[in-house]
Amino acid sequence: MPEGQGNQLIGVPRGTYQISVLDNSGCISLGTGEVLEAAPEVRMPTGFKPDASGDLFQGVSNCEIEFELWVYNRWGQLIYTGTTGWDGMVSNEEAPSGTYTYLYHYSFPMEGEVQTIEKRGGFTLIR
């Protein structure tokens, strides 16, 4: 259910709406507002330091997304693939510090269809 917070509306589905705005002087303005859907924003870390807290290397998003991650070592060998983040381990051993690359596919529903975006980049594993 949509709710108001100050001058913001939260949880409003996409569409066109007739709106009225009451200002501090008691004046009412009438108009039309259009709510659009936007793709989730995903940022990939440029560094990763595995620790006992269980942190994983994965994208950080403002929305829930489904993803698949591939991690490659500096020689281009695939060392991890999965639908959860990477824990910094290779064959049950700690991967060495250094530079790694990734391929990250994430999917999300938008305007009634599933959209997929691909990100590629590098990061530094710190031990």
Side-chain angles (χ1 to χ4, degrees):
M1 179 91 180
E3 66 180 62
Q5 284 187 346
N7 61 357
Q8 295 182 347
L9 289 175
I10 309 236
V12 178
R14 72 182 173 99
T16 303
Y17 298 89
Q18 298 299 315
I19 59 172
S20 63
V21 178
L22 175 65
D23 69 15
N24 289 337
S25 302
C27 296
I28 297 176
S29 295
L30 301 174
T32 303
E34 184 176 8
V35 176
L36 303 172
E37 286 185 300
E41 295 179 26
V42 175
R43 294 178 293 116
M44 296 299 291
T46 57
F48 174 54
K49 183 176 183 178
D51 59 23
S53 70
D55 284 343
L56 300 173
F57 177 80
Q58 63 187 13
V60 178
S61 177
N62 61 335
C63 299
E64 286 194 36
I65 57 173
E66 293 185 16
F67 68 89
E68 189 165 4
L69 171 67
W70 293 264
V71 176
Y72 301 87
N73 65 16
R74 65 181 174 174
W75 296 283
Q77 295 169 316
L78 179 64
I79 59 171
Y80 174 80
T81 185
T83 57
T84 61
W86 180 51
D87 62 3
M89 303 293 283
V90 177
S91 301
N92 294 322
E93 293 187 19
E94 291 184 353
S97 295
T99 302
Y100 293 80
T101 57
Y102 64 83
L103 171 60
Y104 193 81
H105 282 187
Y106 62 98
S107 301
F108 53 91
M110 191 163 105
E111 298 185 4
E113 294 183 21
V114 174
Q115 308 289 319
T116 301
I117 293 180
E118 177 180 290
K119 284 186 170 273
R120 296 173 181 267
F123 67 97
T124 303
L125 178 66
I126 304 164
R127 292 276 179 203

